[in-house]
Amino acid sequence: DWMAGLLSRPGFEKRMDDGWDRMQPAQDGTLSDIFQGSIVQNFKGPDKKTHFSLSGGDGTGRYLFSLGFDFFNPLGNKISGTKLSVGLIALVCLNLPIELRYKPENMFLAGIIP
């Protein structure tokens, strides 16, 4: 299973749990991570009171994911326009640091659309 494989890599569980520590924006107010956005910061747990990162108590992983899709021409772009298109559906764990988040080995390929 993909998630178990991701968590079993050395140091990955800690890196993913540390995602909640990246919630403070830079001193100039620049946001560089989704965890610094207001939606994630104000997202409540199942009790509608506790912050999502804290609900469930200590030792419980709280992971945030992004599901995205993209289409591309596998034969390259041609002047005459797109003749063929293939789509990918991918799942990304946003708790990972940005430099690891979008590496192919850390993403889950959920589907291919011909």
Side-chain angles (χ1 to χ4, degrees):
D1 145 82
W2 172 74
M3 188 67 185
L6 197 61
L7 287 167
S8 67
R9 292 185 197 165
F12 267 61
E13 186 173 5
K14 178 163 178 19
R15 286 179 180 145
M16 290 164 69
D17 291 341
D18 289 348
W20 298 104
D21 296 335
R22 296 191 300 268
M23 294 181 84
Q24 296 302 318
Q27 298 245 346
D28 64 359
T30 304
L31 303 180
S32 61
D33 196 298
I34 193 166
F35 283 89
Q36 297 167 348
S38 60
I39 295 205
V40 172
Q41 291 192 7
N42 297 322
F43 193 75
K44 301 297 180 195
D47 63 2
K48 307 284 190 245
K49 297 175 188 169
T50 310
H51 188 275
F52 180 73
S53 68
L54 303 175
S55 61
D58 291 331
T60 303
R62 298 290 173 202
Y63 303 119
L64 187 63
F65 294 92
S66 172
L67 182 66
F69 65 93
D70 194 11
F71 285 84
F72 63 95
N73 183 345
L75 303 177
N77 290 329
K78 300 190 188 281
I79 295 173
S80 62
T82 302
K83 301 289 184 199
L84 183 64
S85 185
V86 174
L88 298 176
I89 303 170
L91 185 71
V92 175
C93 181
L94 297 173
N95 290 67
L96 285 171
I98 294 171
E99 62 273 8
L100 296 174
R101 191 176 294 173
Y102 297 104
K103 288 190 172 189
E105 61 268 22
N106 299 331
M107 296 173 66
F108 177 71
L109 180 60
I112 299 174
I113 304 168

